[in-house]
């Protein structure tokens, strides 16, 4: 097994072990989720932003560290950065909530949700209904579901349906063309096309080319990874991507909000 795959295996293995540390029963967590006011729908928001700007909507990411890049913003404040992203033109904010590998927490997401600056996406390695309920209870409007973690098509379809039942949008992330088709077949309405190969961690920007034609006009497509310049956003627009998720390119900058403003301006977007 290659080292990158080993990292993914260790993260997921850690998640499975931590299931035993849950102190709130599923029934109570479900009640908390159902008692949380439903968020505005995500898909129309992303489509409206795309149509208004002619560029993909931007989901800007908050994460303190990553296994490959190390610490990015060790003492970064999620609310301050989310506010800066909103001013720069982001449509949503993605919040890394994994602690051991990414330095995040559900509290980061709760703070962002309570601030009201942007609708938050919980980006983590979610495995079951409990994770979905905890996400909604913390204020998430959307959650990440990674196709590779659900090799049984029925399980993936069930997670997408369970998220929808809680009022959550599911960003179903694919790392290959086969996985993108699997996401579509499982009923995903919001599909992430991640240019990063999980086996090598190398970026393959060709992955998103032609996928709009293969998947059809219905799903909202989000391009992820390798997006560093304004020309990358223009290219994704030409490929029919509705949104982009940008993370390390922003968080590596001392001022992530300014970095986002610069990225959008370089693509020809932003205030006129």
């Amino acid at each position: 097994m290659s080292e990158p795959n080993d990292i993914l295996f260790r993260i997921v293995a850690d998640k499975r072990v931590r299931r035993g540390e849950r102190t709130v029963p599923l029934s109570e967590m479900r009640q908390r989720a159902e008692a949380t006011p439903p968020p505005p729908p995500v898909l129309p928001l992303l489509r409206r932003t795309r149509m208004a700007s002619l560029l993909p909507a931007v989901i800007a990411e908050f994460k303190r560290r990553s296994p490959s890049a190390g610490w990015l913003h060790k003492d970064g404040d999620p609310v301050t950065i989310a506010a800066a992203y909103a001013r720069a033109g982001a449509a949503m904010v993605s919040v890394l909530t994994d602690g051991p590998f990414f330095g995040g927490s559900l509290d980061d997401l709760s703070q962002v949700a309570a601030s009201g600056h942007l609708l938050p996406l919980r980006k983590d390695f979610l495995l079951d209904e409990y994770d979905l309920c905890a996400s909604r209870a913390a204020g998430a409007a959307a959650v990440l579901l990674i196709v590779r973690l659900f090799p049984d098509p029925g399980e993936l379809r069930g997670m997408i349906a369970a998220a929808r039942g809680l009022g959550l949008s599911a960003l179903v992330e694919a790392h290959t063309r086969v996985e993108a088709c699997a996401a579509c077949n499982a009923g995903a309405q919001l599909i992430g096309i991640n240019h990063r190969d999980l086996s090598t961690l190398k970026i393959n920007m060709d992955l998103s080319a032609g996928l709009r034609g293969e998947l059809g006009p219905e799903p909202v497509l989000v391009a992820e990874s390798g997006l560093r310049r304004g020309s990358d956003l223009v290219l994704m627009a030409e490929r029919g991507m509705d949104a982009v998720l940008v993370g390390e390119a922003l968080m590596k900058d001392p001022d992530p909000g300014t970095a986002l403003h610069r990225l959008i301006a370089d693509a020809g977007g932003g205030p006129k």
Side-chain angles (χ1 to χ4, degrees):
M1 181 179 291
S2 66
E3 181 182 353
N5 265 330
D6 183 58
I7 291 173
L8 178 65
F9 173 80
R10 287 192 288 115
I11 293 173
V12 174
D14 178 76
K15 295 291 182 189
R16 297 191 188 281
V17 169
R18 288 177 180 272
R19 283 171 164 176
E21 300 176 2
R22 293 170 176 170
T23 58
V24 179
L26 174 58
S27 58
E28 182 178 339
M29 189 59 73
R30 188 184 294 117
Q31 289 176 353
R32 293 183 185 182
E34 293 172 349
T36 304
V42 166
L43 271 63
L45 168 66
L46 296 178
R47 286 194 175 105
R48 283 198 308 270
T49 306
R50 167 77 163 92
M51 293 174 64
S53 70
L54 301 181
L55 289 173
V58 176
I59 304 172
E61 190 156 272
F62 173 82
K63 64 178 175 183
R64 293 189 177 87
R65 71 181 301 271
S66 76
S68 58
W71 287 104
L72 303 168
H73 263 264
K74 188 172 184 179
D75 299 316
D77 176 65
V79 173
T80 300
I81 291 178
Y85 283 158
R87 290 192 297 271
M92 292 182 64
V93 59
S94 166
V95 182
L96 263 294
T97 59
D98 173 83
F101 295 90
F102 291 88
S105 69
L106 262 179
D107 188 55
D108 289 338
L109 188 138
S110 295
Q111 291 181 44
V112 170
S115 74
H117 294 302
L118 292 168
L119 292 182
L121 159 73
R122 182 185 182 187
K123 194 174 182 186
D124 208 324
F125 301 81
L126 309 183
L127 301 174
D128 55 25
E129 182 188 358
Y130 191 100
D131 288 334
L132 298 178
C133 290
S135 302
R136 180 78 281 272
V143 291
L144 181 77
L145 298 178
I146 302 173
V147 172
R148 197 161 299 187
L149 300 186
F150 305 98
D152 180 346
E155 188 178 7
L156 177 60
R157 183 178 293 274
M159 285 288 285
I160 294 171
R164 194 171 298 151
L166 290 167
L168 289 163
S169 297
L171 174 60
V172 184
E173 183 176 275
H175 291 81
T176 67
R177 301 181 86 84
V178 171
E179 290 180 356
C181 291
C184 195
N185 292 336
Q189 298 175 325
L190 183 61
I191 300 176
I193 311 301
N194 197 318
H195 295 114
R196 190 181 302 279
D197 188 307
L198 280 181
S199 297
T200 65
L201 293 188
K202 293 182 178 178
I203 298 295
N204 174 19
M205 295 296 285
D206 292 334
L207 180 60
S208 55
L211 269 179
R212 171 55 78 188
E214 290 185 38
L215 300 179
E218 291 302 320
V220 170
L221 301 185
V222 182
E224 306 173 37
S225 296
L227 307 167
R228 305 182 184 282
R229 297 173 294 275
S231 58
D232 295 326
L233 271 61
V234 173
L235 176 62
M236 293 303 109
E238 293 172 348
R239 290 180 177 178
M241 299 292 110
D242 300 288
V244 294
L245 193 154
V246 187
E248 287 187 15
L250 304 179
M251 293 301 296
K252 283 182 177 179
D253 193 282
D255 186 340
T258 297
L260 177 59
H261 177 84
R262 186 166 56 244
L263 178 68
I264 294 174
D266 287 348
K272 302 298 183 183

